[in-house]
Structure formats: structure tokens, C-alpha cells
Amino acid sequence: MVDNKIPAGPLDTKWKNYKGTVRLVNPSNKRKLEVIVVGTGLAGASAAASLGELGYRVKAFCFQDSPRRAHSIAAQGGINAAKNYQNDGDSVYRLFYDTIKGGDYRAREANVHRLAEISTSIIDQCVAQGVPFAREYGGLLSNRSFGGTQVQRTFYAAGQTGQQLLIGAYQALERQVALGNVQMYSRHEMLDIVKVDGKARGIIVRDLVSGELERHFGHAVLLCSGGYGNVFYLSTNAMGCNVTASWKAHRHGAYFANPCFTQIHPTCIPVSGDHQSKLTLMSESLRNDGRIWVPRNAGDDRKPTDIPEEERDYFLERRYPAFGNLVPRDVASRAAKERCDAGHGVGSSRQAVYLDYADAIQRYGRAEASKRNLGDIPKEAITGLGRDVISEKYGNLFDMYEKITGENPYEAPMRIYPAVHYTMGGLWVDYELMTNIKGLYCLGEANFSDHGANRLGASALMQGLADGYFVIPYTIGNYLADEVGKANETVNHPAFLEAEQRCQERIEKLMSIQGRQSVESFHKRLGKIMWDKCGMARSEEGLQDAIRQIRALREEFWSDVRIPGNILEMNPELDKAGRVADFLELGELMCLDALERHESCGGHFREEYQTPDGEALRNDADYMYAALWENRGEDGWALHKESLVYDVVKPSQRSYK
């Protein structure tokens, strides 16, 4: 059995009691301890800034040219917090409950409740940093709704919330850099971790400009390197997002938990052709005011504006009247796929549905006319007023859609379709965010801890900042208190030399293949296998076939990939090759995990396990656990299980009707 270190006592006092009794490191001793942070998105930047502020000596690494290019910047819609500013019945408990239910009862109660508690402090922290959250006319912070909730608890900054939050964390990080508490290493990619006597003691990185390998020591290592959605090739992730840091830890014995739990986001611009290398997310916030529909008649080729109201199927409102267009992402995605598979899809590919703002424009326009006491004005004037309101709330998203598609979403509905977005699986961590390797922590999307089988919208930013600002500053001291006064290993320790040698040999092996096929071609082929067999729907036959195909593709990669250039220079193709090689291993584990879980839950939908009306059918008796996979090298993987115990929330069949 794994020790998840969940404190004893009532759920709502666990975190408070933990903070009051956890061991501490005094300020003078903190200055003697070094902490490595890999990744500088919201989780990494907030952790590095917070630990630097506490007095630890921090080294932060990112493969981008600046922490401000972390993929957290792409988050658009908002960040959840149980402030109840709208006086609509929200509370810490309700945020906790919505998150547990939204994750289809496959998350840890203690972690989720802590997240809900901390959420209120995150907003105060970010406001103090100057994050320009949207405000009501009177100056109070504004909120909007996201999927899976019946309250308005999402704080936002137009359609660029992630960018503004990251700038706040970046400022805090750069302050610590200026003070000398944090050393920043950009254009450096972690290639391996270093273990000494079973503890994480450092990392091997590659300088992506010079190609040189470097050794770095740390009393603890924090992996904050994001998710692995790019295993599907086409996703909403930035093209550089990868699994390498987590995967290297996994190869050293860190458990990889629930890898098949990946999230398909329902609101993305559809694929337009084979030339695409990524997909574009249209924020879930658009589902606040937009209505999703398809033509009632299959194969209807008319323009959307020519289809009368009675011939439209607002299928989410029809199937889920209580939540309507704001059902959770997994539910909305499967419903859109079902309509398209039934022949009701729109656009040239028939793999899209409409997201329509016509009603919202008229509603806001009438309200604005009434507010201004304009009386009976023409419909065109009402439309203009409504457009102005929509533009203020979502303008940059509408502009982005028009720039990409060439279509004006104020005049015609957007076309959207589900796409890979977020990964709920990741490295297993205990309540303190430590993996099963001592001294190795994992924060943010890179870990598995807070979302279960599906993540509610606006909770990713919440988890990343909660882990970095408010959790790790407490929990890391519990481990580092034992490291005070011990002799430090140097980077000339045999373990460092061996790890560097492993990295060098792998790089040389990749460069020596000199085959005929590009790295990109292998990545694209892997992505198609994953999307077809382990994407929105999975089956036993399909998953078994995927495992066979991935193994064959991996053999082909290691015998026929071609990487131009040299090792000791800036070589993006070599960087990409290492990441794709890791994806080729991860893809097999994801399919194995999906094959092992004989149920449907959240983002994991097995076609064999569904209710008569097509909803996910869980099997709580046999699968109420987190699946922890241990790497056994050539012998594959061994499965361990962490039972999920629900003391407060009683699991039930999830319904949003």
C-alpha cells in the first residue's frame, strides 16, 4: 500500500491542523538548502517565487526563452474561487462538491477540499499583485459561470486570464531573481533526475543553445512541467509541451497515476486539414452566453442564419435541462460527437457544431437600451448595443476566431468541435505533493492529485497557483527539516556522472540513426493512433490494436528517424526527437491503463460501459481507486492501487439533467 499521508481528523480541519503541526525550517537554515524547480508556468513560477521569498536558494529551469512563454499564458476563461461575491449560494463545500462530482468520484477528498479552501486566498494574492480581474460597475470583482456548476464563481480578465496570472507570478519570480534568491535558467531542458541513496538530489539538463549537458544539485526537486496532451499530436497545447520531465522521473521509479484520464475540451476550432500542427481553444467562458446547436435534419447544408429556430436542435439544453450549455467538458464533448456521428455535424468536414451568440447579443442589447432609457429603438440599434457588450466581455476571443477562420462570429455562429486539452493523470503524489521518490515533488498539471477523471473549467489555474503559492511552501519543510546539517553531494558524485552519461548516450544514439523519416511524421502517426483508439471513446479491441501499433511505431522510430544538424549546437529537431521518443512510451501506458479500467468515468469513456442513454457507467465496486503504474523497464509496468475513500461525499450516478 502507498502512504498518501492524508492527515487524520475531520475533512474541513485537515489542512488547518496540518499547517499548525508540520515541521518547520528556520530562516538561517533555509539559506543553506537548495531547491530545483523544473518549469516556470503558474505552478513553477509561483513555487519558485514563494520558496525564494522564504529564503531557500532556488534554481528554476524552463526550455522557453522566458518564463512568460509558459503554456499557462494560453488559459483564457478564468480561475475558480469560493468567494460567493454573487451571493448565489456558493461556498467552500459547494466548490469541493462540484469538483468531486465533476471528476466523476475519482479524486481524493482531502486534496480537493484543501484546494477549495485555498481558492479564496489565491484571488486576494493575485489582486495584491495587480492582476486586472474584470470588475462590475461599482468596482467589485466580477464573476461568470463555467461548466459543471450552478453558481458564478469564476474570476476572469477578459479572455486572457492565464496571461495576466502568469505575469503576476512572473513579477514575483523576477523579484526573487533580482534579490539573488532564485537563479533562472532559460533555454534549459531537463533530461534526467539524479537519485542518491533513493532520494532525488539533482537533475541533468541540456543547454538548448549550446547543446552542452549540465549537472545541478538540489536538496529537493520540484517538477512543474505541465501535462502530456501533445501525445495526441493535435491538441490545444503549445507545440513544445511535452512529458519528458515526468517521464524521466517515472523511469526512475516514480509512479505514473491514471494516465488514461485525459480531457477533451468541447469548445475548440475544428481541424481544417492535414497541415495543422495544433488546435485552438475557444474559451469555455463562451458557453456562458453562447448556445450550442446543430440542424434537426441530418445533412442540412443551409447557412446557419437560414435555418429557422424550430429546425435547430439545442442538444445540450434538450438533454441536460438543469445545466444546459454549462455541463462539464466530458459530457458536452461526448454529446457533440454523438450528434456529429449521427449526421448532424456542420461545416465541410461535418465534424463541428454551432456556438451561437445571436440570442445573447439581442438580450444584452435590450438590457443596455433599457439601462440608457432609449425607448423603442430599431433592432439594428439593439444589435449594435449588444455587440458592444459582448465585445467587452469576449472581444479578444471573437477576434481570434475571425483571424483564424476568416468568419465574423458576431454575424454567424462559430463552428466548434472537441479537442484534447488537459491531462488529469500525471505523477502520483501524496498529500504533501511528494512522489514516491523522496525529495521529488510534482505540482500543477504534471501531477494527478486534484481532478479525478475530469477537470471542471477554470480549475487548472486554481490548482497550479494553490500548489505553488500555498501548499508547497508548507509541505516541503516537512522533508527538508531532515536535510539540515547533512553534507551536500557535489555534482561530481558518481550518480551525477552516471546520469549525464546516460543522457549523452541517448542523444548520440538518436543522432546516429540517420534514417529517412522526420520526427514530426512519427509524432503525427502516434497522434492519430491515440486519437482514434484512446481518444473520446475507447474499446477493448481498439486499445489492444493501439498497443500493437505503438510498439511497432516505436521500433520504426528507433531505426528510421532522421535528425539533421549536430549535438553541440541549437538543434530543435534533436530536442523534439527526445520528446517524441518519450511520447511513444507514454502512449502505450495510456492505452494499457484504459484497457485495465473496465468502466466509463469522466474523460475515460469505454464503449462497452455506458448507460442506456449513452452516459458514462462507473463501476465503483471494482475501480474506485487511483491506478499507479510502476515502470519495470523491459518487463513493462506493474499496477499499484490507491483506494479512494469518500467520508463526506457519497458517490452516485453523475447526472446534470
Side-chain angles (χ1 to χ4, degrees):
M1 290 292 294
V2 294
D3 181 10
N4 53 29
K5 298 182 184 175
I6 294 175
L11 183 65
D12 58 356
T13 61
K14 287 182 187 293
W15 179 234
K16 179 181 178 181
N17 292 341
Y18 176 92
K19 290 190 295 181
T21 58
V22 70
R23 291 183 300 171
L24 303 175
V25 180
N26 78 47
S28 62
N29 284 332
K30 286 173 184 169
R31 293 192 288 271
K32 303 172 185 175
L33 296 170
E34 297 183 52
V35 178
I36 288 173
V37 178
V38 179
T40 52
L42 284 180
S46 58
S50 299
L51 296 177
E53 183 77 38
L54 287 173
Y56 293 105
R57 292 153 55 198
V58 180
K59 290 182 177 180
F61 297 82
C62 70
F63 65 74
Q64 300 95 343
D65 59 354
S66 165
R68 283 187 60 177
R69 292 192 184 275
H71 186 60
S72 302
I73 204 170
Q76 299 165 336
I79 177 171
N80 288 331
K83 286 285 198 181
N84 194 30
Y85 282 174
Q86 303 300 317
N87 197 30
D88 56 1
D90 200 12
S91 65
V92 166
Y93 178 83
R94 196 173 294 277
L95 174 54
F96 155 73
Y97 175 79
D98 287 345
T99 305
I100 290 285
K101 178 183 175 182
D104 219 352
Y105 306 96
R106 290 296 178 265
R108 270 196 206 133
E109 269 196 341
N111 285 66
V112 176
H113 198 279
R114 176 175 67 184
L115 179 65
E117 290 177 63
I118 290 172
S119 68
T120 57
S121 299
I122 297 172
I123 303 304
D124 297 339
Q125 167 94 359
C126 294
V127 169
Q129 289 175 337
V131 173
F133 287 121
R135 294 178 181 268
E136 305 290 357
Y137 179 77
L140 298 177
L141 295 182
S142 183
N143 295 108
R144 55 191 179 198
S145 296
F146 260 59
T149 72
Q150 292 181 306
V151 298
Q152 296 184 77
R153 65 163 66 102
T154 303
F155 296 78
Y156 63 98
Q160 50 182 252
T161 312
Q163 178 178 357
Q164 298 301 330
L165 292 173
L166 186 61
I167 290 172
Y170 172 74
Q171 290 175 155
L173 172 62
E174 286 300 304
R175 178 175 181 270
Q176 296 306 313
V177 171
L179 291 171
N181 297 329
V182 176
Q183 280 183 275
M184 188 67 229
Y185 294 85
S186 58
R187 293 286 194 195
H188 282 69
E189 182 166 25
M190 177 190 136
L191 297 186
D192 210 351
I193 68 165
V194 180
K195 285 169 58 180
V196 179
D197 298 329
K199 296 180 179 180
R201 277 291 186 249
I203 61 174
I204 306 298
V205 299
R206 181 169 181 266
D207 184 326
L208 298 183
V209 176
S210 69
E212 297 279 359
L213 295 179
E214 300 175 3
R215 307 169 222 149
H216 292 272
F217 168 81
H219 292 91
V221 177
L222 278 56
L223 301 184
C224 313
S225 49
Y228 50 88
N230 272 356
V231 69
F232 290 90
Y233 186 69
L234 287 179
S235 79
T236 65
N237 288 219
M239 290 179 64
C241 294
N242 62 83
V243 75
T244 291
S246 296
W247 197 250
K248 298 311 181 190
H250 176 58
R251 297 277 289 186
H252 277 281
Y255 296 151
F256 211 107
N258 300 335
C260 78
F261 286 172
T262 54
Q263 181 169 82
I264 313 296
H265 197 295
T267 319
C268 301
I269 297 178
V271 176
S272 60
D274 291 338
H275 63 282
Q276 279 184 274
S277 55
K278 77 175 300 294
L279 297 174
T280 302
L281 170 71
M282 299 306 297
S283 170
E284 182 172 318
S285 62
L286 293 171
R287 289 200 277 150
N288 267 274
D289 292 310
R291 300 180 72 192
I292 295 173
W293 63 277
V294 293
R296 285 194 181 276
N297 300 319
D300 194 329
D301 288 326
R302 287 178 292 175
K303 293 180 180 179
T305 50
D306 293 338
I307 300 176
E309 190 73 14
E310 62 271 15
E311 295 182 35
R312 300 180 178 188
D313 179 15
Y314 295 92
F315 56 92
L316 291 179
E317 299 172 31
R318 169 173 56 81
R319 291 181 60 174
Y320 310 102
F323 282 73
N325 295 294
L326 287 172
V327 292
R329 292 173 175 178
D330 60 316
V331 177
S333 294
R334 283 197 296 274
K337 180 179 186 296
E338 185 275 328
R339 287 291 78 196
C340 291
D341 290 349
H344 296 266
V346 301
S348 58
S349 67
R350 299 289 184 191
Q351 294 295 302
V353 299
Y354 289 128
L355 176 62
D356 198 335
Y357 261 74
D359 285 356
I361 288 173
Q362 293 302 310
R363 184 176 71 253
Y364 281 121
R366 288 192 294 271
E368 194 68 14
S370 178
K371 186 169 68 177
R372 299 183 187 187
N373 198 25
L374 297 179
D376 188 16
I377 60 174
K379 183 178 180 181
E380 292 76 13
I382 290 176
T383 299
L385 292 171
R387 282 190 182 185
D388 291 342
V389 175
I390 294 296
S391 178
E392 185 175 345
K393 295 183 72 173
Y394 309 106
N396 63 316
L397 300 173
F398 277 53
D399 293 343
M400 183 172 68
Y401 181 88
E402 184 170 12
K403 185 174 290 187
I404 291 171
T405 66
E407 301 170 4
N408 186 341
Y410 292 103
E411 298 176 356
M414 298 181 190
R415 286 175 292 107
I416 58 169
Y417 193 70
V420 173
H421 177 57
Y422 188 90
T423 52
M424 286 76 67
L427 290 185
W428 179 87
V429 293
D430 59 24
Y431 189 74
E432 297 182 335
L433 304 184
M434 188 191 291
T435 70
N436 56 300
I437 296 176
K438 290 184 178 180
L440 181 66
Y441 293 81
C442 190
L443 284 65
E445 188 180 355
N447 76 34
F448 91 110
S449 65
D450 289 3
H451 305 296
N454 173 63
R455 176 176 69 78
L456 292 184
S459 288
L461 304 183
M462 178 173 61
Q463 186 206 350
L465 292 182
D467 287 355
Y469 282 138
F470 297 104
V471 179
I472 199 66
Y474 281 98
T475 63
I476 199 170
N478 201 37
Y479 170 75
L480 291 179
D482 287 332
E483 301 302 311
V484 175
K486 292 184 179 179
N488 296 349
E489 291 84 5
T490 71
V491 292
N492 294 319
H493 188 283
F496 279 89
L497 301 177
E498 291 169 12
E500 182 179 6
Q501 183 63 27
R502 283 196 304 269
C503 295
Q504 186 66 37
E505 289 173 357
R506 188 171 192 259
I507 289 171
E508 290 174 354
K509 183 178 180 181
L510 284 167
M511 292 298 296
S512 69
I513 297 170
Q514 291 300 303
R516 297 165 298 171
Q517 302 182 61
S518 69
V519 176
E520 192 81 354
S521 67
F522 283 102
H523 193 183
K524 183 177 285 190
R525 288 163 63 188
L526 172 64
K528 180 168 176 50
I529 296 169
M530 295 299 297
W531 178 251
D532 290 345
K533 310 291 187 181
C534 195
M536 291 181 68
R538 297 97 184 258
S539 68
E540 182 172 355
E541 181 182 359
L543 290 166
Q544 290 174 339
D545 186 42
I547 291 172
R548 287 191 293 268
Q549 290 186 51
I550 291 169
R551 288 173 177 170
L553 186 63
R554 190 163 62 237
E555 279 190 34
E556 190 179 344
F557 173 88
W558 284 102
S559 63
D560 200 31
V561 71
R562 180 173 181 82
I563 304 169
N566 298 301
I567 295 174
L568 294 178
E569 66 179 12
M570 189 171 181
N571 190 340
E573 283 299 297
L574 176 58
D575 308 334
K576 191 192 307 180
R579 298 165 190 167
V580 172
D582 294 330
F583 279 141
L584 284 164
E585 296 178 9
L586 168 67
E588 181 179 346
L589 179 59
M590 291 173 65
C591 294
L592 181 64
D593 186 42
L595 189 62
E596 182 73 22
R597 191 172 282 275
H598 293 266
E599 66 167 351
S600 292
C601 57
H604 167 66
F605 189 77
R606 282 283 296 268
E607 294 174 343
E608 303 95 329
Y609 307 103
Q610 54 182 299
T611 64
D613 54 353
E615 303 297 336
L617 183 61
R618 292 197 325 270
N619 179 352
D620 291 344
D622 298 320
Y623 294 96
M624 192 173 282
Y625 61 75
L628 283 49
W629 294 94
E630 178 189 359
N631 188 281
R632 293 282 180 86
E634 298 301 320
D635 296 327
W637 290 272
L639 175 61
H640 305 272
K641 301 175 182 179
E642 179 195 346
S643 296
L644 299 172
V645 180
Y646 293 98
D647 294 324
V648 175
V649 174
K650 300 306 175 187
S652 60
Q653 180 62 38
R654 198 169 52 142
S655 174
Y656 292 93
K657 296 184 177 183

